[in-house]
Structures are given as C-alpha cells and as structure tokens.
C-alpha cells in the first residue's frame, strides 16, 4: 500500500535499491520548539509565557530552561568580585552554545536609562572583553555558565548590569 505504482518507492522496490534522502537539520530554535510544543501551538511563540512564570519563551530557550515548568531558577544572578581592593559588579548567566540563532549581550549602566553594550556571545563565538565588561569565567559544555564583570568599579554612582538576548530573524 505504501509503494504506489509509479512512485519513487515502487521504482526502488522494483530495482532492489534503497534511496536515502537527507533532510536538512532544523534550526536550533525549531528543534527546541519541537521538544516543548505541538506544531502550530501559539504557546511556542517567542514572547509567549505558557507556564506563567514571567519569563518569555525566547529567554527560556536562551537560558536552557523548561517553558512548561514555572520557575525563577536559572535566571541571571548578580554578584561582586574584589580585585586589587576594588569591588566590581558581576553577572552570571547560562548560555546554550547550540543556540547559534541567538545573541547574548551583557549591558552596563550607571542610571538604568542609558545602557552600553559589553561582552557579547553567539553560539560558541564571543567578544568576551571590551572597555565596558570582561569575562571572568566560562565553564560547561552545551549549557555554559558565564560570569562577566563590569570594567568600572562599583561605587558612586551606582552600577548596573543586565543580560539582553536577541533572536535572529529565524526565531520569529
């Protein structure tokens, strides 16, 4: 029944051969969506939050979280590092290195209005240091833990770091 007359399968059967057709791999976000959502499920949209934890799917994907399990665990964490007597603000976050369709950017500010781009990453590539921030540590395989510190010592005025995640066109 699966080998209709005149079909490629019927021709292969008649010739005693097997034809192999390679399907191109899906994009990283398409594979992630296929694991967590049914095809066409609106809950799989980048801005959707199906578990109601306040974290949109794009960020859940970027941080390696489960979009169907409400949790605040796994969000970026602020910290401090003292070097040569100076305190520096740090930001530690998880990064899915296979998510080559994302760009992770650590940004710094002294007023929460104007933000300056610091270290940035996409897949296994990254600019780990610049005049704004520098990478302090990076570990793991597949899901890496990255810690970045501000290049300006903490103090007056206050300093702030945040993680911005951008999806490329294929994410939409």
């Amino acid at each position: 029944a699966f080998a209709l007359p005149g079909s490629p399968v019927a021709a292969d059967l008649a010739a005693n051969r097997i034809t192999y057709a390679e399907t191109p791999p899906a994009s990283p976000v398409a594979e992630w969506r296929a694991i967590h959502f049914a095809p066409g499920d609106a809950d799989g949209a980048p801005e959707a939050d199906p578990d109601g934890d306040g974290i949109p799917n794009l960020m859940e994907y970027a941080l390696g979280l489960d979009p169907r399990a409400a949790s605040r665990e796994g969000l970026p964490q602020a910290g401090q590092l003292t070097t040569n007597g100076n305190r520096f603000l740090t930001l530690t976050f998880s990064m899915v290195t296979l998510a080559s369709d994302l760009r992770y950017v650590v940004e710094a500010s002294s007023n929460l209005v104007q933000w300056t781009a610091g270290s940035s990453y996409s897949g296994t590539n990254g600019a780990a240091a610049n005049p704004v921030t520098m990478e302090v540590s990076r570990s793991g395989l597949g899901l890496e833990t990255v810690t970045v510190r501000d290049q300006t010592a903490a103090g007056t005025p206050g300093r702030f770091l945040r993680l911005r995640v951008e999806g490329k066109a294929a994410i939409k």
Side-chain angles (χ1 to χ4, degrees):
F2 75 95
L4 299 173
S7 72
V9 173
D12 279 357
L13 291 173
N16 279 335
R17 70 174 180 225
I18 297 174
T19 301
Y20 171 75
E22 185 173 336
T23 304
S27 69
V29 72
E31 290 179 14
W32 180 83
R33 277 193 189 124
I35 291 168
H36 296 286
F37 304 101
D41 186 346
D43 279 349
E47 66 283 350
D49 181 17
D51 57 12
D53 62 3
I55 307 168
N57 282 338
L58 179 65
M59 190 61 80
E60 299 250 17
Y61 166 56
L63 299 175
L65 305 176
D66 183 346
R68 298 252 186 223
S71 175
R72 307 289 291 168
E73 302 257 337
L75 289 176
Q77 297 292 312
Q80 292 186 9
L81 174 71
T82 301
T83 303
N84 297 327
N86 293 313
R87 285 183 312 115
F88 295 92
L89 189 60
T90 64
L91 187 68
T92 301
F93 61 95
S94 297
M95 177 178 70
V96 179
T97 56
L98 292 178
S100 58
D101 46 3
L102 293 179
R103 183 169 175 248
Y104 300 74
V105 182
V106 176
E107 296 179 323
S109 175
S110 58
N111 60 17
L112 295 174
V113 176
Q114 296 172 319
W115 293 89
T116 305
S119 304
S120 65
Y121 305 87
S122 182
T124 56
N125 301 318
N130 67 22
V132 179
T133 63
M134 69 178 285
E135 185 179 285
V136 177
S137 67
R138 187 171 174 178
S139 62
L141 190 58
L143 183 64
E144 293 187 357
T145 300
V146 179
T147 299
V148 172
R149 81 159 172 92
D150 195 353
Q151 293 278 46
T152 301
T156 306
R159 290 294 288 176
F160 308 92
L161 294 178
R162 72 178 181 187
L163 177 66
R164 181 170 43 91
V165 175
E166 303 170 338
K168 298 179 182 172
I171 295 286
K172 305 294 179 206

